[in-house]
Amino acid sequence: MIRGFKMKLYEGQEKEYEYRHNQLWPEMIDMIHEYGGKNYTIFLDKETLNLFGYIEIEDEELWSQGADTAINRKWWDYMADIMETNPDNSPVAIDLKTVFHLD
Amino acid sequence: MIRGFKMKLYEGQEKEYEYRHNQLWPEMIDMIHEYGGKNYTIFLDKETLNLFGYIEIEDEELWSQGADTAINRKWWDYMADIMETNPDNSPVAIDLKTVFHLD
């Protein structure tokens, strides 16, 4: 199953966002894979500072459980200073509607 | 190689865009595959009417040649009434920067 979503970066944080993701913690990589995520790409729209996420997941329920892991919450806390977040430090993420797919 | 890009839909054309893509011409499907495109997904951001495209391509040069085929130009002409286009009817498409990828 494919999910697309958008998030929002704070101004001036483009390089920092990319730097942190280039050094994504091994425990976060493991979490993503263990909870059924793969082929995960994040794009930046430089005009608007929107981040566009694309991920392929095995199962919605399994994937949502990954959000509740200690390592994921630690990652959200770490990222909260450079992007729009909710009160629990999760990123403000808006699901996009899939309107076309071709294998 | 992965490409992400955004396009813009005209207001009120959400259903029509999806309808036309659900019935994508077989010749267009063949063109996409022949010119090295696969795993192609388009998402709609209902808030902004931006369309986010995600596609995996074999080769930039090969893929760009597909744009010049008669079938692709016919598709662009067909779609030009419901989305922002350039003078040649190609969609206004802005490339997004890949800032993270995990297999």
Side-chain angles (χ1 to χ4, degrees):
Chain A
M1 170 181 340
I2 291 169
R3 282 190 58 198
F5 54 96
K6 70 170 179 175
M7 303 176 290
K8 183 90 172 208
L9 194 62
Y10 289 147
E11 212 173 316
Q13 300 296 343
E14 296 91 332
K15 283 187 183 168
E16 184 64 20
Y17 186 88
E18 197 169 355
Y19 173 79
R20 292 186 191 180
H21 280 80
N22 280 340
Q23 311 205 353
L24 183 67
W25 306 333
E27 297 90 340
M28 271 296 284
I29 295 175
D30 290 345
M31 184 283 288
I32 291 167
H33 289 152
E34 282 167 21
Y35 287 84
K38 67 169 186 176
N39 203 16
Y40 188 6
T41 303
I42 302 173
F43 303 90
L44 173 67
D45 180 351
K46 293 178 183 177
E47 276 183 353
T48 61
L49 296 187
N50 280 324
L51 296 157
F52 163 49
Y54 170 98
I55 190 167
E56 296 173 10
I57 60 172
E58 279 172 34
D59 181 87
E60 288 279 358
E61 177 60 26
L62 178 64
W63 179 246
S64 68
Q65 288 169 13
D68 277 332
T69 56
I71 190 69
N72 192 59
R73 295 201 169 273
K74 193 174 163 188
W75 179 258
W76 283 351
D77 293 345
Y78 173 52
M79 295 299 289
D81 60 329
I82 64 169
M83 62 193 299
E84 283 186 7
T85 53
N86 298 303
D88 69 350
N89 276 351
S90 62
V92 175
I94 295 164
D95 281 330
L96 305 179
K97 178 176 167 62
T98 301
V99 290
F100 172 70
H101 179 76
L102 177 69
D103 281 331
Chain B
M1 168 183 342
I2 292 168
R3 283 190 57 198
F5 53 98
K6 69 169 179 178
M7 302 176 291
K8 184 90 171 209
L9 193 63
Y10 289 148
E11 213 172 315
Q13 300 295 344
E14 297 90 330
K15 283 187 184 171
E16 184 63 21
Y17 187 88
E18 198 170 352
Y19 173 78
R20 293 186 190 181
H21 279 79
N22 280 340
Q23 312 204 353
L24 183 66
W25 306 333
E27 297 89 340
M28 271 296 284
I29 295 175
D30 291 345
M31 183 283 287
I32 291 167
H33 290 151
E34 281 167 22
Y35 287 85
K38 66 169 186 175
N39 203 15
Y40 188 7
T41 304
I42 300 173
F43 303 91
L44 172 67
D45 180 351
K46 294 178 183 178
E47 276 184 353
T48 61
L49 296 187
N50 281 323
L51 296 157
F52 287 97
Y54 170 97
I55 190 166
E56 297 172 10
I57 60 172
E58 278 172 35
D59 180 87
E60 289 278 0
E61 177 61 25
L62 178 64
W63 180 245
S64 68
Q65 288 169 12
D68 278 330
T69 56
I71 189 69
N72 193 57
R73 295 201 169 273
K74 193 175 164 189
W75 180 258
W76 284 351
D77 292 343
Y78 174 52
M79 295 299 289
D81 61 329
I82 64 169
M83 63 193 299
E84 283 187 6
T85 53
N86 298 304
D88 69 351
N89 276 352
S90 63
V92 175
I94 296 164
D95 280 331
L96 305 179
K97 179 177 163 63
T98 300
V99 291
F100 173 68
H101 179 75
L102 177 69
D103 281 331

